[in-house]
């Protein structure tokens, strides 16, 4: 089914945990809710670090930690300013509540059907942002339109981040992310 959907990729190298968080934060500012982000990568690759930045970009100030033993941690959406065009200039409109963050960690998942048995699939097509660490551990059919993020260790401080957008909305999101990152950091 995904073979007919548009796909785009972006590969970045992060030089530090702070830079990984900043990339996540930049992506978080672009999310509006309903997004599905599938993370893959070995232990210590930076999945939770990236998610911490993503949460900051969503306006969530709660400390983000890996939900390894609980499978899911929910973080309610927080007020965040929305920019809008008024006349010929941009202004910041009144604060609106951003989307909730649903942070899944499937590292300890023993039975892939557990995701379905617990009713978690309702989250994947809901109005919040779903981040799924260790997505490869769930042998379910993920929604065809999604953003996959593969993180890999280069050395003690550097990480390779490979984004694979599937579907028109995610391809557009990835193009916006690339523009924002190159404009703000000069990658």
């Amino acid at each position: 089914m995904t073979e007919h959907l548009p796909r785009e990729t972006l590969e970045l190298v992060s030089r530090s945990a702070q830079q990984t968080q900043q990339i996540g934060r930049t992506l978080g500012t672009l999310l509006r809710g309903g997004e599905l982000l599938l993370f893959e990568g070995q232990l210590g690759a930076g999945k939770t670090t990236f998610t911490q930045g993503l949460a900051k970009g969503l306006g969530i100030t709660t400390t983000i930690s890996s939900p390894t033993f609980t499978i899911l941690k929910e973080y309610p959406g927080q007020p965040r300013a929305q920019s809008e065009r008024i006349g010929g200039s941009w202004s910041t409109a009144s604060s609106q509540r951003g989307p909730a963050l649903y942070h899944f960690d499937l590292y300890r998942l023993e039975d892939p059907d557990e995701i379905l048995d617990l009713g978690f699939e309702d989250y994947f097509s809901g109005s919040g942002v779903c981040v799924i660490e260790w997505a490869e551990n769930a042998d379910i059919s993920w929604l065809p339109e999604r953003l996959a993020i593969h993180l890999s260790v280069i050395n003690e401080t550097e990480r390779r981040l490979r984004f694979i957008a599937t579907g028109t909305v995610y391809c557009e999101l990835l193009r916006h992310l690339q523009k924002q990152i190159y404009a703000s950091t000069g990658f």
Side-chain angles (χ1 to χ4, degrees):
M1 181 177 231
T2 59
E3 64 270 359
H4 294 96
L5 292 172
R7 282 178 70 126
E8 291 190 25
T9 62
L10 171 64
E11 193 164 306
L12 302 171
V13 173
S14 170
R15 308 269 181 238
S16 66
Q18 294 78 16
Q19 194 172 40
T20 299
Q21 275 194 354
Q22 184 56 45
I23 295 166
R25 184 180 195 140
T26 302
L27 178 59
T29 65
L30 299 172
L31 302 177
R32 299 294 170 247
E35 294 89 2
L36 177 62
L37 310 178
L38 304 177
F39 285 76
E40 294 182 10
Q42 71 248 46
L43 283 171
K47 297 178 293 295
T48 300
T49 299
F50 187 97
T51 303
Q52 290 167 341
L54 185 114
K56 287 178 184 175
L58 288 170
I60 296 171
T61 57
T62 305
T63 301
I64 304 297
S65 60
S66 182
T68 300
F69 294 100
T70 59
I71 298 180
L72 168 65
K73 285 190 179 177
E74 297 185 39
Y75 302 93
Q78 299 296 308
R80 66 179 186 181
Q82 302 290 315
S83 296
E84 64 180 25
R85 192 168 195 115
I86 300 176
S89 62
W90 286 94
S91 72
T92 301
S94 62
S95 293
Q96 295 180 352
R97 190 163 291 281
L101 173 63
Y102 304 119
H103 185 193
F104 291 84
D105 186 324
L106 307 183
Y107 180 70
R108 297 195 186 282
L109 190 69
E110 292 182 23
D111 180 6
D113 289 334
E114 193 176 344
I115 291 292
L116 303 175
D117 293 344
L118 294 170
F120 287 150
E121 75 273 9
D122 293 339
Y123 287 91
F124 307 147
S125 58
S127 61
V129 173
C130 283
V131 167
I132 295 137
E133 293 189 28
W134 300 96
E136 67 273 23
N137 287 355
D139 188 22
I140 64 173
S141 295
W142 295 110
L143 295 173
E145 296 196 30
R146 61 189 179 239
L147 180 62
I149 305 170
H150 302 270
L151 293 100
S152 57
V153 175
I154 297 173
N155 60 40
E156 191 173 309
T157 58
E158 295 180 318
R159 303 294 185 262
R160 183 175 325 285
L161 291 83
R162 186 166 190 250
F163 298 84
I164 303 167
T166 305
T168 304
V169 169
Y170 290 96
C171 289
E172 183 68 19
L173 175 64
L174 193 57
R175 286 191 293 273
H176 284 294
L177 175 63
Q178 183 174 13
K179 285 179 190 175
Q180 290 289 326
I181 288 173
Y182 289 157
S184 66
T185 64
F187 252 89

